[in-house]
Amino acid sequence: MSPTHVQEVEAILAGAAAERRALLDAVSPALRASLPVDATGITQAIEHLAAEVALAEELRAEQAAGHRANPAVLHGRVYGRAPLSPGTVLAAFVEGARVRAAALLHLADAIGGPALADELGGALADHRLPDETASDDAATAALQDAYAAQERAVVALAERLDAVGGA
């Protein structure tokens, strides 16, 4: 019996979390502090679900286009390998979350139509991304909360795909 989409997504998220823990154990405290979240699992889960509903290439292109304006990418284009400021790092994570949220809503619409997209959009909106006025601690906490909401969202999409008998 092949695994369900929920089992696949949960395995993807667990694997990415394990890799993140190993990475954080191996880097300096300063570098560890600059990596408050990791979207690897969310991104891989989005790719898995997108492939199941024949949106893989379309969503990959949308996300690539969205990431072109990421503050870290823009910084690199202007300053090369110069170190990123903490504000730029935070802004890069925030922008990445915005791009993934759009992909999640696109997936929700493909899996369950506008009603599911609205439901998911509301759930993600309940976990607001930090803005530039937030203190470092508040911004980190908000970012972690928003990323956790995106992880729950990919699991919810997998549940819905399983329920409708997708692929």
Side-chain angles (χ1 to χ4, degrees):
M1 176 182 214
S2 61
T4 66
H5 295 297
V6 170
Q7 290 168 332
E8 291 278 355
V9 165
E10 288 176 342
I12 290 167
L13 294 172
E19 288 176 9
R20 174 175 166 67
R21 283 189 301 276
L23 170 70
L24 293 179
D25 287 345
V27 299
S28 70
L31 183 55
R32 191 176 312 123
S34 73
L35 301 170
V37 289
D38 180 14
T40 303
I42 301 166
T43 301
Q44 291 172 347
I46 288 170
E47 290 172 359
H48 167 77
L49 295 175
E52 295 301 319
V53 295
L55 282 178
E57 292 303 318
E58 185 177 340
L59 281 182
R60 192 173 296 116
E62 284 178 18
Q63 289 186 83
H67 288 302
R68 281 189 209 123
N70 187 293
V73 172
L74 295 175
H75 179 277
R77 287 184 186 150
V78 174
Y79 301 107
R81 293 183 178 252
L84 300 173
S85 71
T88 302
V89 171
L90 178 66
F93 282 118
V94 168
E95 189 58 30
R98 282 191 186 107
V99 170
R100 278 186 308 285
L104 288 166
L105 294 177
H106 193 152
L107 264 175
D109 188 57
I111 293 169
L116 182 58
D118 288 346
E119 179 184 328
L120 188 72
L124 292 175
D126 288 343
H127 304 277
R128 298 213 182 273
L129 291 166
D131 63 23
E132 61 278 349
T133 64
S135 70
D136 288 347
D137 289 342
T140 297
L143 194 59
Q144 290 168 338
D145 183 55
Y147 274 56
Q150 289 187 352
E151 286 187 1
R152 290 188 299 275
V154 293
V155 172
L157 291 174
E159 288 171 349
R160 182 61 69 94
L161 193 55
D162 285 338
V164 298

